[in-house]
Amino acid sequence: MKRITLYIILALLGCLPCAAQQIMYSNLEELVEERGDTVSILTVEKRTKNQRYLMGGADYRIEAVGNRGLSRYLRKRCYAVRIDTSLYVNCRKMRYKRFRLGGWYASAVRVGGRIFYCAQPVGQVASSTATPPDAVKLGGAVGDAIAASGLVNERVFYEIDTETGRSSFVGKERMAELLQGHPALLDSLSKETSECAEVMWRYLRVLAEGDSLPLRE
């Protein structure tokens, strides 16, 4: 009878949905070494275009249900979050040269030992390679004023230097370095006229194929 009861309990447990694996990384070192704090109350919300336009910032809001203190930590101090196979980096912690990338979280991807994330163009990236023809031309602190421009919905890729934490733009030049050994892809890349995230992702996902942390679109 005890054995039958045990089988019933195990069967019922097997029918229960598995909770998403949620890990918070407080800094770059923890992210690189894959050691963080495991939690179970995080929610991910994709921010609307209106929210991004009016308040700026990245694509995803991550908060802790019923825990204001932890939600504040996620906004201001947490470096990155992994939820199941999706990785997010806190743009509050990101910089491209002297430009800030705003708040909230951007989707990221691991490719080997490298970490790439998808965020709005700032600085020289915004004023040249990523600027659409009908976008407002911004001068000065492009990063601080980006929410007022047509660039708020544009996206490019950045790479995090895992030693310094600095971000660098992933355009055709950097992608060509990453694609060494893939002559067909290099030939295709040379014909591209845009360096936006959508174009670069076509090549980056070839390198990321089979990786455990794909980009969330």
Side-chain angles (χ1 to χ4, degrees), residues 104-119:
W104 302 113
Y105 284 78
S107 189
V109 61
R110 288 182 182 273
V111 179
R114 300 183 176 92
I115 300 171
F116 302 87
Y117 65 96
C118 180

Side-chain angles (χ1 to χ4, degrees), residues 191-210:
K191 301 173 184 176
E192 299 288 0
T193 59
S194 172
E195 295 179 303
C196 69
E198 182 179 1
V199 172
M200 293 298 106
W201 176 237
R202 291 204 294 265
Y203 300 93
L204 193 58
R205 69 181 177 187
V206 174
L207 302 176
E209 188 174 334

Side-chain angles (χ1 to χ4, degrees), residues 18-23 82-88 212-214:
C18 295
Q21 185 180 27
Q22 303 176 347
I23 300 177
R82 179 160 67 89
I83 298 179
D84 283 341
T85 59
S86 296
L87 179 66
Y88 306 88
S212 60
L213 290 178

